[in-house]
Amino acid sequence: MARSLDVILVVDLESTCWEGSPPPGQTSEIIEIGLRTVDLKTLTRTEKRSFLVKPVLSEISEFCTELTTLTPDMLTDAGSLADAVKVLKKEYGSKDRLWASWGDYDRRQFERVCKDLNVGYPFGPSHLNVKSLFAAAMGSGHELGLDGAYKQLGLELEGTHHRGDDDAWNIAQILCRLLKTMRSDDDE
C-alpha cells in the first residue's frame, strides 16, 4: 500500500514519571497521546485530539501530576493503550502515514510500551524528528526543548506545556513554519 502524504500525524506523549528512578515494580508508561494533524496541502494544523490512557504498570506520582496536570482520578475511566492504538490505526490510517514528534523519545516510548503491553505498534516505519529538523533548519549546533525552540522563534507556547494535546499543537506549529519556509525557498 502506498504511503499517504496528505497529512502528517503530530504526536506528543505524556508518560508516568517520577523525580528520579521509578519505584520498584513500576515502569514509565504512556498516559496521554496528544495528536494533531497537519494538512500538507495548506500547511495548517487541523484536528486536535487527546487520548487518555489508563496506566496498568505504574501509578501517577505527585511529580507526574505537577508536571503534566494529569491526576489519577482523570485516568480512572480512561481507555487502554490498545483502545487508543485501534483508533490511531482505523481513524487516522497511522500505519500508512508519516508521523512526527519532538525528538525520538515518543517513538522509542511507543515501541517499548507497545512491546511491554503486547499491543501492536500503531505506526509504519516513517517517523519525522521535528526537534532535529528544527536544529538543522536553524543552523544550530544542538537541539532545543520545545519551549526553547518557541523562544528562539519569538513565540509563546499555547496551552499547558507537558500536556500531550497542547504540546502536539505547538510541535505542529513549528513543523508548519519549517515546511512553509522550505516551500517559499523553492519558489526562488
Side-chain angles (χ1 to χ4, degrees), residues 94-129:
S94 61
K95 278 284 197 189
D96 300 311
R97 286 209 157 88
L98 176 61
W99 75 286
S101 64
W102 193 259
D104 267 340
Y105 168 82
D106 300 88
R107 181 186 57 79
R108 288 190 318 267
Q109 181 73 339
F110 243 122
E111 289 171 349
R112 186 187 62 74
V113 174
C114 283
K115 184 179 177 189
D116 289 351
L117 296 177
N118 200 28
V119 172
Y121 183 69
F123 301 106
S126 299
H127 173 257
L128 178 61
N129 181 331

mmCIF file of all heavy atoms in Angstrom, residues 94-129:
data_model
loop_
_atom_site.group_PDB
_atom_site.id
_atom_site.type_symbol
_atom_site.label_atom_id
_atom_site.label_comp_id
_atom_site.label_asym_id
_atom_site.label_seq_id
_atom_site.Cartn_x
_atom_site.Cartn_y
_atom_site.Cartn_z
ATOM 1 N N SER A 94 -2.765 5.375 10.672
ATOM 2 C CA SER A 94 -1.426 5.653 11.195
ATOM 3 C C SER A 94 -0.337 4.732 10.631
ATOM 4 O O SER A 94 0.818 5.138 10.546
ATOM 5 C CB SER A 94 -1.422 5.582 12.724
ATOM 6 O OG SER A 94 -1.799 4.296 13.181
ATOM 7 N N LYS A 95 -0.686 3.535 10.227
ATOM 8 C CA LYS A 95 0.311 2.611 9.670
ATOM 9 C C LYS A 95 0.854 3.117 8.325
ATOM 10 O O LYS A 95 1.962 2.779 7.935
ATOM 11 C CB LYS A 95 -0.287 1.213 9.472
ATOM 12 C CG LYS A 95 -0.313 0.381 10.716
ATOM 13 C CD LYS A 95 1.061 -0.127 11.016
ATOM 14 C CE LYS A 95 1.046 -1.276 11.985
ATOM 15 N NZ LYS A 95 2.387 -1.610 12.433
ATOM 16 N N ASP A 96 0.030 3.904 7.619
ATOM 17 C CA ASP A 96 0.384 4.336 6.265
ATOM 18 C C ASP A 96 0.661 5.831 6.158
ATOM 19 O O ASP A 96 0.688 6.374 5.062
ATOM 20 C CB ASP A 96 -0.750 3.971 5.298
ATOM 21 C CG ASP A 96 -0.989 2.474 5.270
ATOM 22 O OD1 ASP A 96 -0.006 1.728 5.127
ATOM 23 O OD2 ASP A 96 -2.150 2.054 5.422
ATOM 24 N N ARG A 97 0.855 6.480 7.288
ATOM 25 C CA ARG A 97 1.102 7.926 7.263
ATOM 26 C C ARG A 97 2.413 8.259 7.947
ATOM 27 O O ARG A 97 2.847 7.582 8.880
ATOM 28 C CB ARG A 97 -0.024 8.660 7.975
ATOM 29 C CG ARG A 97 -1.294 8.714 7.168
ATOM 30 C CD ARG A 97 -2.099 9.954 7.520
ATOM 31 N NE ARG A 97 -2.986 10.287 6.438
ATOM 32 C CZ ARG A 97 -4.209 9.788 6.306
ATOM 33 N NH1 ARG A 97 -4.684 8.955 7.197
ATOM 34 N NH2 ARG A 97 -4.947 10.149 5.287
ATOM 35 N N LEU A 98 3.005 9.346 7.498
ATOM 36 C CA LEU A 98 4.167 9.900 8.176
ATOM 37 C C LEU A 98 3.698 10.457 9.512
ATOM 38 O O LEU A 98 2.656 11.108 9.589
ATOM 39 C CB LEU A 98 4.763 11.029 7.317
ATOM 40 C CG LEU A 98 5.942 11.806 7.890
ATOM 41 C CD1 LEU A 98 7.142 10.900 8.149
ATOM 42 C CD2 LEU A 98 6.315 12.937 6.935
ATOM 43 N N TRP A 99 4.461 10.156 10.556
ATOM 44 C CA TRP A 99 4.126 10.733 11.850
ATOM 45 C C TRP A 99 5.350 11.448 12.378
ATOM 46 O O TRP A 99 6.481 11.160 11.995
ATOM 47 C CB TRP A 99 3.579 9.687 12.813
ATOM 48 C CG TRP A 99 4.547 8.736 13.420
ATOM 49 C CD1 TRP A 99 5.161 7.683 12.816
ATOM 50 C CD2 TRP A 99 4.995 8.732 14.776
ATOM 51 N NE1 TRP A 99 5.962 7.029 13.721
ATOM 52 C CE2 TRP A 99 5.890 7.642 14.925
ATOM 53 C CE3 TRP A 99 4.735 9.539 15.894
ATOM 54 C CZ2 TRP A 99 6.513 7.350 16.138
ATOM 55 C CZ3 TRP A 99 5.357 9.232 17.082
ATOM 56 C CH2 TRP A 99 6.232 8.156 17.201
ATOM 57 N N ALA A 100 5.113 12.433 13.226
ATOM 58 C CA ALA A 100 6.190 13.292 13.711
ATOM 59 C C ALA A 100 6.045 13.508 15.202
ATOM 60 O O ALA A 100 4.946 13.445 15.760
ATOM 61 C CB ALA A 100 6.133 14.644 12.986
ATOM 62 N N SER A 101 7.182 13.772 15.847
ATOM 63 C CA SER A 101 7.190 14.117 17.262
ATOM 64 C C SER A 101 8.403 14.996 17.529
ATOM 65 O O SER A 101 9.277 15.142 16.667
ATOM 66 C CB SER A 101 7.221 12.858 18.139
ATOM 67 O OG SER A 101 8.421 12.135 17.943
ATOM 68 N N TRP A 102 8.463 15.569 18.722
ATOM 69 C CA TRP A 102 9.592 16.404 19.111
ATOM 70 C C TRP A 102 10.660 15.496 19.712
ATOM 71 O O TRP A 102 10.593 15.135 20.875
ATOM 72 C CB TRP A 102 9.146 17.475 20.108
ATOM 73 C CG TRP A 102 10.188 18.531 20.304
ATOM 74 C CD1 TRP A 102 11.059 18.647 21.348
ATOM 75 C CD2 TRP A 102 10.484 19.599 19.423
ATOM 76 N NE1 TRP A 102 11.887 19.719 21.156
ATOM 77 C CE2 TRP A 102 11.550 20.333 19.978
ATOM 78 C CE3 TRP A 102 9.961 20.019 18.196
ATOM 79 C CZ2 TRP A 102 12.100 21.453 19.376
ATOM 80 C CZ3 TRP A 102 10.506 21.145 17.592
ATOM 81 C CH2 TRP A 102 11.554 21.840 18.177
ATOM 82 N N GLY A 103 11.611 15.085 18.894
ATOM 83 C CA GLY A 103 12.658 14.179 19.348
ATOM 84 C C GLY A 103 12.279 12.732 19.110
ATOM 85 O O GLY A 103 11.246 12.422 18.512
ATOM 86 N N ASP A 104 13.132 11.842 19.585
ATOM 87 C CA ASP A 104 12.913 10.407 19.412
ATOM 88 C C ASP A 104 12.279 9.740 20.624
ATOM 89 O O ASP A 104 11.939 8.562 20.586
ATOM 90 C CB ASP A 104 14.251 9.703 19.116
ATOM 91 C CG ASP A 104 14.506 9.579 17.630
ATOM 92 O OD1 ASP A 104 13.546 9.678 16.840
ATOM 93 O OD2 ASP A 104 15.670 9.369 17.260
ATOM 94 N N TYR A 105 12.107 10.485 21.720
ATOM 95 C CA TYR A 105 11.539 9.887 22.933
ATOM 96 C C TYR A 105 10.186 9.231 22.643
ATOM 97 O O TYR A 105 9.940 8.092 23.055
ATOM 98 C CB TYR A 105 11.377 10.942 24.043
ATOM 99 C CG TYR A 105 10.532 10.433 25.185
ATOM 100 C CD1 TYR A 105 11.084 9.627 26.179
ATOM 101 C CD2 TYR A 105 9.169 10.694 25.243
ATOM 102 C CE1 TYR A 105 10.304 9.116 27.207
ATOM 103 C CE2 TYR A 105 8.381 10.193 26.260
ATOM 104 C CZ TYR A 105 8.950 9.408 27.238
ATOM 105 O OH TYR A 105 8.169 8.896 28.241
ATOM 106 N N ASP A 106 9.310 9.951 21.951
ATOM 107 C CA ASP A 106 7.953 9.443 21.717
ATOM 108 C C ASP A 106 7.977 8.156 20.890
ATOM 109 O O ASP A 106 7.250 7.207 21.184
ATOM 110 C CB ASP A 106 7.094 10.511 21.040
ATOM 111 C CG ASP A 106 6.989 11.751 21.900
ATOM 112 O OD1 ASP A 106 7.864 12.642 21.778
ATOM 113 O OD2 ASP A 106 6.059 11.840 22.708
ATOM 114 N N ARG A 107 8.819 8.117 19.864
ATOM 115 C CA ARG A 107 8.936 6.910 19.037
ATOM 116 C C ARG A 107 9.438 5.738 19.875
ATOM 117 O O ARG A 107 8.848 4.651 19.864
ATOM 118 C CB ARG A 107 9.881 7.153 17.856
ATOM 119 C CG ARG A 107 10.031 5.936 16.942
ATOM 120 C CD ARG A 107 11.084 6.170 15.858
ATOM 121 N NE ARG A 107 12.394 6.518 16.402
ATOM 122 C CZ ARG A 107 13.258 5.640 16.911
ATOM 123 N NH1 ARG A 107 12.946 4.356 16.993
ATOM 124 N NH2 ARG A 107 14.435 6.052 17.359
ATOM 125 N N ARG A 108 10.510 5.949 20.614
ATOM 126 C CA ARG A 108 11.077 4.870 21.436
ATOM 127 C C ARG A 108 10.096 4.435 22.534
ATOM 128 O O ARG A 108 9.965 3.242 22.823
ATOM 129 C CB ARG A 108 12.405 5.308 22.061
ATOM 130 C CG ARG A 108 13.541 5.391 21.055
ATOM 131 C CD ARG A 108 14.904 5.594 21.713
ATOM 132 N NE ARG A 108 14.896 6.560 22.801
ATOM 133 C CZ ARG A 108 15.171 7.856 22.665
ATOM 134 N NH1 ARG A 108 15.482 8.345 21.493
ATOM 135 N NH2 ARG A 108 15.144 8.664 23.714
ATOM 136 N N GLN A 109 9.413 5.397 23.147
ATOM 137 C CA GLN A 109 8.459 5.079 24.213
ATOM 138 C C GLN A 109 7.291 4.261 23.654
ATOM 139 O O GLN A 109 6.864 3.287 24.261
ATOM 140 C CB GLN A 109 7.967 6.369 24.887
ATOM 141 C CG GLN A 109 6.988 6.159 26.020
ATOM 142 C CD GLN A 109 7.615 5.616 27.295
ATOM 143 O OE1 GLN A 109 8.693 5.031 27.294
ATOM 144 N NE2 GLN A 109 6.928 5.793 28.399
ATOM 145 N N PHE A 110 6.787 4.664 22.485
ATOM 146 C CA PHE A 110 5.709 3.902 21.855
ATOM 147 C C PHE A 110 6.157 2.471 21.576
ATOM 148 O O PHE A 110 5.444 1.509 21.871
ATOM 149 C CB PHE A 110 5.258 4.560 20.542
ATOM 150 C CG PHE A 110 3.836 5.018 20.550
ATOM 151 C CD1 PHE A 110 3.533 6.341 20.313
ATOM 152 C CD2 PHE A 110 2.791 4.135 20.781
ATOM 153 C CE1 PHE A 110 2.220 6.777 20.318
ATOM 154 C CE2 PHE A 110 1.477 4.556 20.779
ATOM 155 C CZ PHE A 110 1.195 5.881 20.546
ATOM 156 N N GLU A 111 7.349 2.315 21.000
ATOM 157 C CA GLU A 111 7.858 0.981 20.688
ATOM 158 C C GLU A 111 7.975 0.130 21.946
ATOM 159 O O GLU A 111 7.530 -1.019 21.974
ATOM 160 C CB GLU A 111 9.223 1.084 19.996
ATOM 161 C CG GLU A 111 9.149 1.622 18.583
ATOM 162 C CD GLU A 111 10.514 1.929 17.981
ATOM 163 O OE1 GLU A 111 11.533 1.934 18.720
ATOM 164 O OE2 GLU A 111 10.570 2.177 16.764
ATOM 165 N N ARG A 112 8.555 0.692 23.003
ATOM 166 C CA ARG A 112 8.794 -0.065 24.232
ATOM 167 C C ARG A 112 7.494 -0.430 24.935
ATOM 168 O O ARG A 112 7.277 -1.590 25.310
ATOM 169 C CB ARG A 112 9.695 0.723 25.191
ATOM 170 C CG ARG A 112 10.091 -0.083 26.438
ATOM 171 C CD ARG A 112 10.833 0.752 27.460
ATOM 172 N NE ARG A 112 10.056 1.860 27.984
ATOM 173 C CZ ARG A 112 9.053 1.736 28.864
ATOM 174 N NH1 ARG A 112 8.689 0.559 29.317
ATOM 175 N NH2 ARG A 112 8.408 2.807 29.300
ATOM 176 N N VAL A 113 6.610 0.544 25.101
ATOM 177 C CA VAL A 113 5.373 0.290 25.850
ATOM 178 C C VAL A 113 4.458 -0.661 25.077
ATOM 179 O O VAL A 113 3.833 -1.550 25.665
ATOM 180 C CB VAL A 113 4.661 1.610 26.227
ATOM 181 C CG1 VAL A 113 3.309 1.343 26.871
ATOM 182 C CG2 VAL A 113 5.545 2.442 27.162
ATOM 183 N N CYS A 114 4.398 -0.502 23.763
ATOM 184 C CA CYS A 114 3.598 -1.445 22.971
ATOM 185 C C CYS A 114 4.126 -2.870 23.142
ATOM 186 O O CYS A 114 3.348 -3.805 23.309
ATOM 187 C CB CYS A 114 3.594 -1.046 21.498
ATOM 188 S SG CYS A 114 2.502 0.346 21.123
ATOM 189 N N LYS A 115 5.444 -3.021 23.140
ATOM 190 C CA LYS A 115 6.042 -4.345 23.338
ATOM 191 C C LYS A 115 5.729 -4.869 24.743
ATOM 192 O O LYS A 115 5.309 -6.014 24.907
ATOM 193 C CB LYS A 115 7.556 -4.273 23.123
ATOM 194 C CG LYS A 115 8.239 -5.604 23.222
ATOM 195 C CD LYS A 115 9.729 -5.472 22.969
ATOM 196 C CE LYS A 115 10.403 -6.815 23.144
ATOM 197 N NZ LYS A 115 11.843 -6.712 23.130
ATOM 198 N N ASP A 116 5.910 -4.008 25.771
ATOM 199 C CA ASP A 116 5.653 -4.418 27.159
ATOM 200 C C ASP A 116 4.209 -4.866 27.372
ATOM 201 O O ASP A 116 3.945 -5.776 28.152
ATOM 202 C CB ASP A 116 5.967 -3.277 28.138
ATOM 203 C CG ASP A 116 7.459 -3.003 28.279
ATOM 204 O OD1 ASP A 116 8.282 -3.786 27.754
ATOM 205 O OD2 ASP A 116 7.789 -1.971 28.912
ATOM 206 N N LEU A 117 3.273 -4.194 26.709
ATOM 207 C CA LEU A 117 1.854 -4.495 26.907
ATOM 208 C C LEU A 117 1.287 -5.410 25.828
ATOM 209 O O LEU A 117 0.072 -5.636 25.782
ATOM 210 C CB LEU A 117 1.050 -3.185 26.979
ATOM 211 C CG LEU A 117 1.372 -2.261 28.151
ATOM 212 C CD1 LEU A 117 0.558 -0.974 28.067
ATOM 213 C CD2 LEU A 117 1.137 -2.961 29.479
ATOM 214 N N ASN A 118 2.153 -5.879 24.924
ATOM 215 C CA ASN A 118 1.723 -6.751 23.831
ATOM 216 C C ASN A 118 0.615 -6.108 22.989
ATOM 217 O O ASN A 118 -0.398 -6.728 22.693
ATOM 218 C CB ASN A 118 1.291 -8.118 24.376
ATOM 219 C CG ASN A 118 1.302 -9.180 23.302
ATOM 220 O OD1 ASN A 118 2.061 -9.097 22.341
ATOM 221 N ND2 ASN A 118 0.453 -10.183 23.460
ATOM 222 N N VAL A 119 0.851 -4.853 22.644
ATOM 223 C CA VAL A 119 -0.065 -4.082 21.798
ATOM 224 C C VAL A 119 0.671 -3.799 20.495
ATOM 225 O O VAL A 119 1.839 -3.407 20.518
ATOM 226 C CB VAL A 119 -0.459 -2.756 22.488
ATOM 227 C CG1 VAL A 119 -1.253 -1.857 21.549
ATOM 228 C CG2 VAL A 119 -1.246 -3.028 23.762
ATOM 229 N N GLY A 120 0.009 -3.978 19.373
ATOM 230 C CA GLY A 120 0.646 -3.720 18.080
ATOM 231 C C GLY A 120 1.046 -2.261 17.930
ATOM 232 O O GLY A 120 0.266 -1.351 18.223
ATOM 233 N N TYR A 121 2.274 -2.045 17.485
ATOM 234 C CA TYR A 121 2.787 -0.696 17.242
ATOM 235 C C TYR A 121 1.922 -0.019 16.180
ATOM 236 O O TYR A 121 1.687 -0.600 15.108
ATOM 237 C CB TYR A 121 4.254 -0.805 16.795
ATOM 238 C CG TYR A 121 4.967 0.490 16.570
ATOM 239 C CD1 TYR A 121 5.277 1.335 17.621
ATOM 240 C CD2 TYR A 121 5.358 0.864 15.290
ATOM 241 C CE1 TYR A 121 5.962 2.525 17.412
ATOM 242 C CE2 TYR A 121 6.048 2.048 15.072
ATOM 243 C CZ TYR A 121 6.347 2.877 16.131
ATOM 244 O OH TYR A 121 7.028 4.047 15.915
ATOM 245 N N PRO A 122 1.415 1.199 16.444
ATOM 246 C CA PRO A 122 0.423 1.792 15.551
ATOM 247 C C PRO A 122 0.953 2.470 14.296
ATOM 248 O O PRO A 122 0.171 2.858 13.433
ATOM 249 C CB PRO A 122 -0.261 2.832 16.443
ATOM 250 C CG PRO A 122 0.800 3.238 17.402
ATOM 251 C CD PRO A 122 1.604 1.994 17.655
ATOM 252 N N PHE A 123 2.276 2.623 14.186
ATOM 253 C CA PHE A 123 2.818 3.404 13.085
ATOM 254 C C PHE A 123 3.645 2.555 12.136
ATOM 255 O O PHE A 123 4.129 1.490 12.491
ATOM 256 C CB PHE A 123 3.695 4.548 13.627
ATOM 257 C CG PHE A 123 2.954 5.476 14.537
ATOM 258 C CD1 PHE A 123 3.169 5.451 15.905
ATOM 259 C CD2 PHE A 123 2.031 6.379 14.041
ATOM 260 C CE1 PHE A 123 2.486 6.303 16.760
ATOM 261 C CE2 PHE A 123 1.333 7.228 14.875
ATOM 262 C CZ PHE A 123 1.559 7.187 16.242
ATOM 263 N N GLY A 124 3.817 3.075 10.939
ATOM 264 C CA GLY A 124 4.712 2.460 9.973
ATOM 265 C C GLY A 124 6.142 2.910 10.260
ATOM 266 O O GLY A 124 6.430 3.477 11.322
ATOM 267 N N PRO A 125 7.039 2.702 9.306
ATOM 268 C CA PRO A 125 8.457 2.998 9.533
ATOM 269 C C PRO A 125 8.836 4.473 9.401
ATOM 270 O O PRO A 125 9.956 4.847 9.739
ATOM 271 C CB PRO A 125 9.152 2.159 8.457
ATOM 272 C CG PRO A 125 8.151 2.070 7.344
ATOM 273 C CD PRO A 125 6.810 2.031 8.022
ATOM 274 N N SER A 126 7.937 5.323 8.928
ATOM 275 C CA SER A 126 8.297 6.713 8.648
ATOM 276 C C SER A 126 7.996 7.631 9.825
ATOM 277 O O SER A 126 6.842 7.951 10.105
ATOM 278 C CB SER A 126 7.555 7.220 7.412
ATOM 279 O OG SER A 126 7.902 6.447 6.293
ATOM 280 N N HIS A 127 9.065 8.057 10.519
ATOM 281 C CA HIS A 127 8.945 8.975 11.647
ATOM 282 C C HIS A 127 9.790 10.209 11.363
ATOM 283 O O HIS A 127 10.937 10.106 10.933
ATOM 284 C CB HIS A 127 9.428 8.318 12.943
ATOM 285 C CG HIS A 127 9.485 9.256 14.096
ATOM 286 N ND1 HIS A 127 10.680 9.791 14.547
ATOM 287 C CD2 HIS A 127 8.518 9.784 14.877
ATOM 288 C CE1 HIS A 127 10.426 10.600 15.567
ATOM 289 N NE2 HIS A 127 9.129 10.604 15.791
ATOM 290 N N LEU A 128 9.225 11.392 11.612
ATOM 291 C CA LEU A 128 9.925 12.656 11.416
ATOM 292 C C LEU A 128 10.254 13.254 12.780
ATOM 293 O O LEU A 128 9.347 13.540 13.568
ATOM 294 C CB LEU A 128 9.046 13.616 10.611
ATOM 295 C CG LEU A 128 9.599 15.006 10.349
ATOM 296 C CD1 LEU A 128 10.892 14.948 9.536
ATOM 297 C CD2 LEU A 128 8.557 15.839 9.618
ATOM 298 N N ASN A 129 11.537 13.430 13.043
ATOM 299 C CA ASN A 129 12.001 14.022 14.294
ATOM 300 C C ASN A 129 12.054 15.538 14.095
ATOM 301 O O ASN A 129 13.005 16.064 13.510
ATOM 302 C CB ASN A 129 13.375 13.444 14.645
ATOM 303 C CG ASN A 129 13.937 13.985 15.933
ATOM 304 O OD1 ASN A 129 13.652 15.103 16.343
ATOM 305 N ND2 ASN A 129 14.782 13.200 16.567
#
